[in-house]
Amino acid sequence: MSDTATLSAPEASVRAAPAAAASSVRNDWTREEIAALYDLPFTELVFRAAEVHRAHHRAGEVQLCTLLSIKTGGCPEDCGYCSQSVKAESGVAATKLMDVQAVLQSAAQARDAGSKRFCMGAAWRNPKERDMPAIVAMVKGVREMGLETCMTLGMLDEGQAAQLADAGLDYYNHNIDTSPERYGEVITTRTFADRLKTLDNVRNAGINVCSGGIVGMGETRSDRVGFVHALATMEQHPESVPVNALVPIKGTVLGDMLADTPLAKIDDIEFVRTVAVARITMPLSMVRLSAGRESMSEATQALCFMAGANSIFTGDKLLTAANAGDDADAAMFARLGLKPMEGEEPLRAMKAVGGCSGGCAA
């Protein structure tokens, strides 16, 4: 009797599928198939993810990105994980939008430190029209330095997305955060559908999508399956998929709720599983290790790279949370034999030659 004879149909299809089939771009993943991937023996899952990764990406290269908070605190949203919400008692003070020249100076420093992409985040529900000229100037200025640009400014309407596209913005980040079912327990001031609407506006404007979420917020394995499923079944996969591990900050709803509990930190193996499943289901996307990396051991990060993660935020801070820092990352890369990514990202390269189907934008 074969090993797959006693398995459910989704489990059997996952275990029996050859590497070539697993690495093809699909947008019709079922939750049962994704759950079956999560349930694979850990070494088998990482092996399969590594096969998919090597089929589409240079295994020894990792993209370096830098994230700058260009407007901190005072956000009216009630995201339970966020120290910048006005609902949080985290001590984060609200600031005004940074001066354009100050942002460009930070971008130049990031470029000199080896970053390829410069990401700018503002703690807004949505940008005001009075702020758009400065935002547009930041995008143009950073692009002139030869860096890719990414922004996360909250919700965008069609006109704002068009303005950013005209300025040359490469990426817009708008995370779905968690599964559709879990979303309302984390955020109540906007809906999951609101998130998708902004992503549609970004796509329709011709800007690349950066969208992922956070694990370790007290969710179940089923929620993690739903989170990956929501991304992997999009008509066009996000070009970048950040996977964050919750940094439980005192004064935030989730930080206080999870403090001193076993749920305060997601299990490292479960985190690597999430990275591996994201890689298999979205083979051409860049999968980024984002928040929470500063508390991970090098061994855990190495497993993530084996499982298909190929992008990180480098620098000393991610918005308001601590990060590993350029020197620590350079030392880790030297020990692991990794180097900063030099070539183009697969989805963007395919779009440039008109070879996209399924997982990338027209």
Side-chain angles (χ1 to χ4, degrees):
M1 181 177 293
S2 70
D3 291 339
T4 60
T6 59
L7 298 175
S8 67
E11 288 175 322
S13 66
V14 165
R15 288 178 182 250
S23 66
S24 63
V25 176
R26 290 178 50 192
N27 306 81
D28 61 350
W29 289 94
T30 67
R31 289 198 179 207
E32 291 77 17
E33 287 176 312
I34 294 172
L37 287 173
Y38 264 103
D39 288 339
L40 285 172
F42 180 73
T43 52
E44 176 69 12
L45 174 59
V46 172
F47 174 74
R48 292 189 180 215
E51 283 190 308
V52 172
H53 182 66
R54 288 168 181 270
H56 300 287
H57 305 266
R58 291 187 177 92
E61 293 188 3
V62 176
Q63 181 188 60
L64 300 182
C65 309
T66 298
L67 176 61
L68 174 69
S69 178
I70 60 174
K71 191 277 172 189
T72 304
C75 181
E77 304 280 17
D78 67 354
C79 306
Y81 52 80
C82 187
S83 63
Q84 301 194 67
S85 168
V86 295
K87 309 292 185 182
E89 298 179 358
S90 57
V92 174
T95 67
K96 294 181 179 180
L97 183 66
M98 284 180 65
D99 177 75
V100 173
Q101 284 305 122
V103 172
L104 298 185
Q105 183 178 2
S106 294
Q109 293 171 347
R111 178 198 58 195
D112 294 344
S115 281
K116 181 177 180 180
R117 185 183 301 175
F118 191 69
C119 306
M120 295 159 275
W124 285 326
R125 175 179 171 83
N126 53 277
K128 302 293 189 295
E129 285 307 313
R130 65 174 181 267
D131 296 313
M132 292 304 295
I135 293 297
V136 165
M138 291 174 192
V139 172
K140 290 181 176 180
V142 174
R143 290 200 83 216
E144 287 172 359
M145 296 180 190
L147 287 166
E148 290 182 348
T149 53
C150 180
M151 282 197 158
T152 178
L153 313 171
M155 296 188 291
L156 294 181
D157 60 31
E158 293 178 356
Q160 291 168 333
Q163 287 183 68
L164 292 174
D166 290 343
L169 184 68
D170 296 291
Y171 285 84
Y172 193 79
N173 167 258
H174 200 60
N175 291 334
I176 62 169
D177 287 337
T178 187
S179 68
E181 297 79 13
R182 170 80 170 156
Y183 188 87
E185 299 176 37
V186 178
I187 303 163
T188 67
T189 48
R190 58 179 161 183
T191 66
F192 195 82
D194 290 333
R195 295 273 184 176
L196 298 183
K197 177 60 177 173
T198 288
L199 292 177
D200 285 343
N201 291 339
V202 168
R203 272 281 181 230
N204 293 337
I207 301 170
N208 296 295
V209 167
C210 174
S211 188
I214 307 170
V215 294
M217 295 192 293
E219 77 280 351
T220 64
R221 164 76 67 83
S222 178
D223 288 316
R224 290 187 280 277
V225 168
F227 157 63
V228 174
H229 178 262
L231 295 169
T233 55
M234 288 180 174
E235 184 177 351
Q236 297 155 358
H237 293 162
E239 280 79 4
S240 289
V241 179
V243 182
N244 299 271
L246 178 70
V247 179
I249 299 172
K250 184 178 180 181
T252 62
V253 173
L254 287 173
D256 291 345
M257 183 186 302
L258 301 178
D260 301 321
T261 75
L263 297 176
K265 183 180 184 300
I266 188 170
D267 175 76
D268 287 345
I269 296 299
E270 186 70 6
F271 186 85
V272 177
R273 283 185 181 276
T274 301
V275 169
V277 173
R279 168 51 66 218
I280 292 171
T281 56
M282 293 170 281
L284 297 177
S285 301
M286 302 297 291
V287 177
R288 179 178 305 123
L289 296 185
S290 298
R293 192 168 64 86
E294 79 289 344
S295 64
M296 296 178 190
S297 67
E298 282 194 1
T300 297
Q301 293 181 67
L303 285 171
C304 288
F305 296 136
M306 288 178 63
N310 61 342
S311 180
I312 62 170
F313 277 125
T314 191
D316 296 324
K317 182 178 284 190
L318 300 182
L319 297 179
T320 61
N323 194 40
D326 297 330
D327 292 342
D329 287 335
M332 177 178 67
F333 273 36
R335 280 189 285 274
L336 297 179
L338 299 174
K339 65 178 183 178
M341 191 180 85
E342 298 175 352
E344 183 61 279
E345 302 162 21
L347 278 174
R348 294 191 67 186
M350 290 177 67
K351 287 166 66 176
V353 298
C356 274
S357 63
C360 87

